Amino acid sequence: MAFDVPPGYRALKDADVAAYLAGVPAVANQLGGRSADWKVREVGDGNLNFVFVVEGPAGGVVLKQALPYLRLVGESWPLPLRRAFFEHQALITEARVAPQHVPEVFHFDETLALTVMAYLSPHIILRKGLIRGIVYPNLADHMATFMAETLFATSDLGQPAAAKKKQMALFCDNIELCRITEDLVFTDPWRLADGNRWTSPQLDATAAAVRSDGPWKRAAQEFKLKFLGEAQALIHGDLHSGSIMVTESDSRAIDPEFAFYGPMGFDVGALIGNLYLAFFSQSGHETRPGDRDRYRDWILQTVEAVWTLFDGRFRALWNKAHGGDVFMPDLFSSGPDQAAFDAAQDAYMRRLFVDSLGFGGCKMTRRILGLAHVEDMESIADPERRAGCEQRALRLARTLMVDGATFTDIKAVSEAARALQREAARVPA
Amino acid sequence: MAFDVPPGYRALKDADVAAYLAGVPAVANQLGGRSADWKVREVGDGNLNFVFVVEGPAGGVVLKQALPYLRLVGESWPLPLRRAFFEHQALITEARVAPQHVPEVFHFDETLALTVMAYLSPHIILRKGLIRGIVYPNLADHMATFMAETLFATSDLGQPAAAKKKQMALFCDNIELCRITEDLVFTDPWRLADGNRWTSPQLDATAAAVRSDGPWKRAAQEFKLKFLGEAQALIHGDLHSGSIMVTESDSRAIDPEFAFYGPMGFDVGALIGNLYLAFFSQSGHETRPGDRDRYRDWILQTVEAVWTLFDGRFRALWNKAHGGDVFMPDLFSSGPDQAAFDAAQDAYMRRLFVDSLGFGGCKMTRRILGLAHVEDMESIADPERRAGCEQRALRLARTLMVDGATFTDIKAVSEAARALQREAARVPA
């Protein structure tokens, strides 16, 4: 199945980019000088798009253009260009409440399915920083803020039903990108599917066991059902550590082309799950045993801070006068009502916590047994060592998905991760 | 706020109806003879529309036309004509899987916001039958079938995500009718709101107590949150006993203009809640004490059968090869997997059961303390007697909303209703 390419669409080549941007005054000003002076380079390392960095005398921009197929696989896997429209809609929605944590958008061209936005420099992809062992002291605070602000504002707590339904109608059309998640995150790792791969032969038996693990498959389908039917808020939809650009003082979420009205825990879980993947990958990056111990601790502290700060921010937004049509403060204004309101809020955050753990587990699993893997693990050259890291990550993933409700708090989850890691230290993989 | 009236819209008068229908061949054939022979009468006793019954030599039809305002309140409460579009969409969607339980549609005119459909005769509105004490031996079976077929087919279990998202995008626009439910069912009974009324002064203290009942208000808002965010299936949205036309051998759900992608328990709860209202109203219709005892028993048996048959039908549909993108049978094909699948199905049906009870409680409450009441209670002339019936219904409603999860099964709920009724028999209201 191919998707319609709108008349006028063409894939820009490196040589076309400067001429195109010269015709967009807002961007030309941003770059400064003459277009002949602009340096253009293609940097896309993602799976879906072309990404050009353009630098001029006054500054830089990024031009991101969608292709009518999945870059990772090729023309045999067509993808609608309209994902650029959803990405742009999501970016401007996020920028309304968390402008400090998204790239500024300068220009959107619907026909060419391209967005021009701020060039984030000297940022690097968070995942690469995690592999190198770089500490980001503000990361948890920034991402907790990003998630709390964007998820609250677009939830039924944060906006009137009419506004939500209007935007939701729009994002209902982001069918194909949701479909990728439905298949790759919630289904394929638990069945024999084209494109699945794993560290072989080391994980062959594990992969087979996962495919016949009834309770685990049940959990995957339960979370898929939530993904399909719980329209809680406009979620980023792909918030792993490859979608976050960082410096030690700045953190920005990019690439929200998978955005739609879905379960909030999918975003929180993507981040937490990928941090746990980073945690378990560390022993593969040690040059001598123990030299990543402190970094491992930092990752767990970061996971704990992500949840704790997110929980606090989300509640703070809810407790202020807010724009939603549910749990309106004036309904619970008397003293005794406050206890009922607090209990409702606790229950809400608890559900979101358990959802986040479960979705995190789905994301971890698919990165080890599914089509698209992560550099955290892939960059571990020794397959024995890599398989050991992946085994431990899979064990936590299963626990998060099947038994997430047994964790009293995020500290207890970190303890479970630490316990798996300690076991590994005793029995080297 | 008024809504756009499309050019060409006009409200038909009795005298216009025959001429209009003469221009619609499918309908003219249905009626037979010449249009001069057709008898037209306006019969709308609902809150939102004009309804004409037209009878000709060969048969009858119903013409239902939306007005640009809420009929019950008047032009001060404008309502979009587009609700006729949603009603028509819902009717044809329902007819695909349960044609025997909806009126056949002969004609839809989007400009005039009118639908022409089968005249159901000698059917009466179920609510009127319940007041008269008429037994409908097949009602539970019919409505369980209607709900199971329509809810399953439009859920993520019954249709692919892409198809669901497309239809959901359409129904996201049914904003104003959803808004009526959001306000009248989930909010207004628990606060001082214009239009609220109750049997006064008998229920004055009760109404005040409800408005300061923290746990009850919390429950109302929890169910409102589900109504706003859980896009489980295309629900009828107003499936009370006034939206069901019956004979002893036929049952049809009408008036799905509140349809949207929402929580399935809202439909099941509407029916169950209204049956419990009918149950508690019976002592107001007794001409001598006890002469409705057997009818009361039949109502409770019917409630039990509605849930039990619904549960069985829904599971049967699920267990067949089905069209959804979740819980696909081939994922759970081995023996040991079956236990996990069964556990997932049990948990799913259990959640739906608890939701149905809670939504039922919301619907019961709003009919006693909110704007729109039900004839079951309103037709009890003696306010003391009526207030007694209403008090008991409110007590069950609170239990269903706050403690629904404590009921092991539908029989236990009927027992609770019976216990409240027995108390009443000991202490006459």
Side-chain angles (χ1 to χ4, degrees):
Chain A
M1 177 175 60
F3 295 97
D4 287 344
V5 173
Y9 174 84
R10 64 202 158 94
L12 293 189
K13 306 256 180 289
D14 294 41
D16 306 327
V17 169
Y20 175 79
L21 293 180
V24 183
V27 177
N29 290 339
Q30 191 72 23
L31 293 166
R34 296 169 313 133
S35 64
D37 305 328
W38 300 344
K39 277 179 293 190
V40 177
R41 63 185 201 279
E42 213 277 314
V43 300
D45 65 348
N47 302 331
L48 304 178
N49 307 288
F50 275 128
V51 181
F52 300 95
V53 169
V54 187
E55 290 179 280
V61 300
V62 160
L63 185 156
K64 178 176 177 182
Q65 184 176 33
L67 295 172
Y69 52 84
L70 185 68
R71 188 175 178 180
L72 176 72
V73 175
E75 302 202 12
S76 64
W77 188 324
L79 267 189
L81 294 171
R82 199 165 151 74
R83 65 189 189 273
F85 169 81
F86 296 116
E87 174 170 359
H88 177 248
Q89 283 291 317
L91 278 172
I92 60 180
T93 303
E94 293 164 354
R96 263 179 233 136
V97 291
Q100 74 279 31
H101 297 308
V102 289
E104 187 183 353
V105 172
F106 301 125
H107 175 66
F108 174 61
D109 185 326
E110 192 165 350
T111 304
L112 293 188
L114 72 78
T115 307
V116 183
M117 58 197 122
Y119 173 42
L120 301 175
S121 175
H123 298 62
I124 63 169
I125 293 284
L126 172 60
R127 192 182 301 285
K128 293 183 186 292
L130 294 170
I131 293 168
R132 290 185 211 159
I134 302 172
V135 166
Y136 296 98
N138 302 308
L139 174 69
D141 180 44
H142 291 166
M143 294 315 299
T145 301
F146 171 77
M147 294 191 298
E149 292 284 352
T150 58
L151 297 176
F152 183 86
T154 57
S155 76
D156 285 306
L157 298 164
Q159 70 176 334
K164 184 185 168 217
K165 281 168 195 275
K166 272 182 193 149
Q167 203 183 35
M168 194 159 90
L170 211 62
F171 279 96
C172 276
D173 196 29
N174 199 6
I175 291 172
E176 292 80 9
L177 269 74
C178 285
R179 172 85 199 197
I180 292 175
T181 304
E182 291 155 22
D183 289 342
L184 298 195
V185 177
F186 298 107
T187 311
D188 288 352
W190 290 273
R191 68 177 172 189
L192 284 172
D194 285 348
N196 275 359
R197 64 188 175 87
W198 53 80
T199 299
S200 182
Q202 288 82 357
L203 293 192
D204 288 356
T206 300
V210 170
R211 291 196 301 272
S212 65
D213 186 327
W216 199 350
K217 286 192 282 189
R218 173 192 165 181
Q221 294 304 299
E222 298 267 15
F223 285 104
K224 186 175 190 179
L225 197 64
K226 284 174 182 278
F227 186 82
L228 289 167
E230 297 201 358
Q232 293 179 334
L234 181 62
I235 67 174
H236 178 286
D238 197 29
L239 198 56
H240 56 78
S241 47
S243 298
I244 301 169
M245 302 280 294
V246 287
T247 66
E248 285 190 19
S249 60
D250 195 48
S251 318
R252 309 219 175 216
I254 62 168
D255 291 353
E257 56 210 305
F258 285 86
F260 79 114
Y261 272 83
M264 301 190 284
F266 190 74
D267 276 1
V268 183
L271 180 56
I272 288 179
N274 275 270
L275 286 171
Y276 282 130
L277 283 176
F279 171 83
F280 286 111
S281 76
Q282 293 301 317
S283 58
H285 305 310
E286 287 177 338
T287 48
R288 50 185 173 70
D291 72 357
R292 290 286 179 112
D293 284 355
R294 290 183 61 185
Y295 195 63
R296 249 192 297 269
D297 284 344
W298 175 78
I299 295 178
L300 291 189
Q301 286 157 19
T302 298
V303 172
E304 290 169 35
V306 163
W307 174 261
T308 308
L309 294 171
F310 170 79
D311 178 88
R313 293 262 153 74
F314 196 95
R315 287 173 191 256
L317 289 166
W318 187 347
N319 291 338
K320 284 194 304 191
H322 64 75
D325 282 337
V326 66
F327 282 111
M328 296 80 82
D330 65 327
L331 259 183
F332 298 91
S333 49
S334 79
D337 290 349
Q338 191 62 43
F341 178 84
D342 291 347
Q345 194 172 76
D346 287 348
Y348 185 100
M349 297 311 295
R350 173 74 192 164
R351 288 192 297 270
L352 185 42
F353 175 68
V354 176
D355 278 3
S356 300
L357 297 184
F359 283 121
C362 298
K363 302 280 272 184
M364 293 170 73
T365 308
R366 73 96 149 207
R367 294 298 191 181
I368 297 170
L369 301 177
L371 172 80
H373 286 224
V374 287
E375 196 181 332
D376 313 62
M377 297 295 185
E378 297 296 290
S379 61
I380 303 170
D382 175 3
E384 290 296 335
R385 227 167 145 187
R386 181 167 72 245
C389 296
E390 291 173 331
Q391 287 280 17
R392 291 184 282 282
L394 281 174
R395 283 177 61 190
L396 185 67
R398 185 188 191 279
T399 304
L400 296 182
M401 290 174 66
V402 176
D403 298 315
T406 63
F407 289 104
T408 50
D409 55 28
I410 188 72
K411 259 195 167 4
V413 186
S414 289
E415 267 319 304
R418 205 171 267 125
L420 285 163
Q421 190 58 37
R422 268 195 303 267
E423 244 178 74
R426 283 197 301 273
V427 188
Chain B
M1 177 175 62
F3 296 96
D4 288 344
V5 172
Y9 175 83
R10 64 202 158 92
L12 295 187
K13 306 256 182 289
D14 294 40
D16 306 327
V17 168
Y20 175 80
L21 293 180
V24 183
V27 177
N29 290 340
Q30 191 73 23
L31 292 166
R34 297 169 312 132
S35 63
D37 304 328
W38 300 344
K39 276 177 295 187
V40 177
R41 61 183 199 281
E42 212 278 312
V43 299
D45 65 348
N47 303 330
L48 305 177
N49 306 288
F50 276 127
V51 180
F52 300 94
V53 168
V54 187
E55 290 178 281
V61 299
V62 161
L63 183 156
K64 177 175 177 181
Q65 182 176 35
L67 294 172
Y69 52 84
L70 186 66
R71 186 175 181 181
L72 176 71
V73 174
E75 301 200 12
S76 65
W77 188 326
L79 266 190
L81 294 170
R82 199 163 151 75
R83 65 188 189 275
F85 169 82
F86 297 116
E87 174 170 357
H88 176 248
Q89 283 292 318
L91 278 171
I92 59 179
T93 303
E94 292 162 355
R96 262 179 235 135
V97 289
Q100 73 280 31
H101 297 307
V102 290
E104 188 183 355
V105 172
F106 301 124
H107 174 65
F108 175 61
D109 184 326
E110 192 165 352
T111 305
L112 293 186
L114 72 75
T115 307
V116 183
M117 56 197 124
Y119 173 45
L120 300 174
S121 176
H123 299 62
I124 63 168
I125 294 283
L126 170 61
R127 192 183 301 287
K128 293 184 186 292
L130 295 170
I131 293 168
R132 291 185 209 158
I134 302 172
V135 165
Y136 296 99
N138 302 308
L139 175 69
D141 180 46
H142 291 166
M143 294 314 299
T145 301
F146 171 78
M147 294 192 297
E149 291 284 352
T150 59
L151 296 177
F152 183 86
T154 58
S155 75
D156 285 307
L157 297 164
Q159 69 176 333
K164 183 184 170 217
K165 281 168 194 274
K166 272 183 194 149
Q167 202 182 38
M168 193 159 89
L170 210 64
F171 278 95
C172 275
D173 197 30
N174 200 6
I175 291 171
E176 293 78 10
L177 269 75
C178 284
R179 172 84 200 198
I180 291 174
T181 304
E182 291 155 23
D183 288 343
L184 299 193
V185 176
F186 297 107
T187 312
D188 288 353
W190 290 274
R191 68 176 172 190
L192 285 172
D194 285 351
N196 275 0
R197 65 189 176 83
W198 52 81
T199 300
S200 181
Q202 288 82 357
L203 293 191
D204 288 357
T206 299
V210 170
R211 291 195 300 273
S212 63
D213 186 326
W216 201 349
K217 285 192 283 189
R218 172 191 166 181
Q221 294 303 299
E222 298 267 16
F223 285 105
K224 187 175 190 179
L225 196 64
K226 282 174 184 279
F227 186 80
L228 289 166
E230 296 200 358
Q232 294 178 336
L234 181 63
I235 67 174
H236 178 285
D238 197 29
L239 197 58
H240 57 78
S241 49
S243 298
I244 300 167
M245 304 280 294
V246 286
T247 67
E248 287 189 18
S249 59
D250 195 48
S251 318
R252 309 221 175 212
I254 62 169
D255 291 354
E257 57 209 305
F258 285 85
F260 79 116
Y261 272 84
M264 300 189 285
F266 191 75
D267 276 1
V268 184
L271 179 57
I272 288 179
N274 276 270
L275 287 170
Y276 282 130
L277 282 175
F279 171 83
F280 287 112
S281 77
Q282 293 302 319
S283 58
H285 305 310
E286 287 178 337
T287 48
R288 47 183 176 71
D291 71 358
R292 289 285 178 114
D293 285 353
R294 288 183 61 185
Y295 195 62
R296 248 193 296 271
D297 284 342
W298 174 79
I299 295 178
L300 291 190
Q301 287 155 18
T302 299
V303 173
E304 290 169 35
V306 163
W307 174 261
T308 307
L309 294 171
F310 169 78
D311 178 89
R313 292 263 152 75
F314 196 95
R315 287 173 191 255
L317 289 166
W318 188 347
N319 291 338
K320 282 194 303 192
H322 64 74
D325 282 336
V326 67
F327 282 111
M328 296 80 81
D330 65 329
L331 259 182
F332 298 91
S333 49
S334 79
D337 289 349
Q338 190 61 44
F341 178 84
D342 291 347
Q345 192 171 78
D346 287 347
Y348 185 100
M349 297 312 294
R350 173 73 193 166
R351 287 193 298 270
L352 183 44
F353 175 68
V354 175
D355 277 4
S356 300
L357 297 183
F359 284 120
C362 297
K363 304 278 274 183
M364 294 171 75
T365 308
R366 74 94 149 214
R367 294 296 191 182
I368 297 171
L369 301 176
L371 172 81
H373 286 224
V374 288
E375 196 180 334
D376 311 63
M377 297 295 185
E378 297 296 289
S379 62
I380 303 170
D382 175 4
E384 292 294 337
R385 226 168 146 187
R386 183 168 69 245
C389 296
E390 291 173 329
Q391 288 279 19
R392 291 185 282 281
L394 281 175
R395 284 176 62 189
L396 185 67
R398 186 186 190 281
T399 303
L400 296 182
M401 291 174 66
V402 176
D403 299 314
T406 63
F407 289 104
T408 49
D409 55 28
I410 190 71
K411 261 196 163 8
V413 186
S414 288
E415 267 319 304
R418 206 171 265 125
L420 284 163
Q421 191 58 37
R422 270 196 301 268
E423 247 178 71
R426 286 197 298 274
V427 187

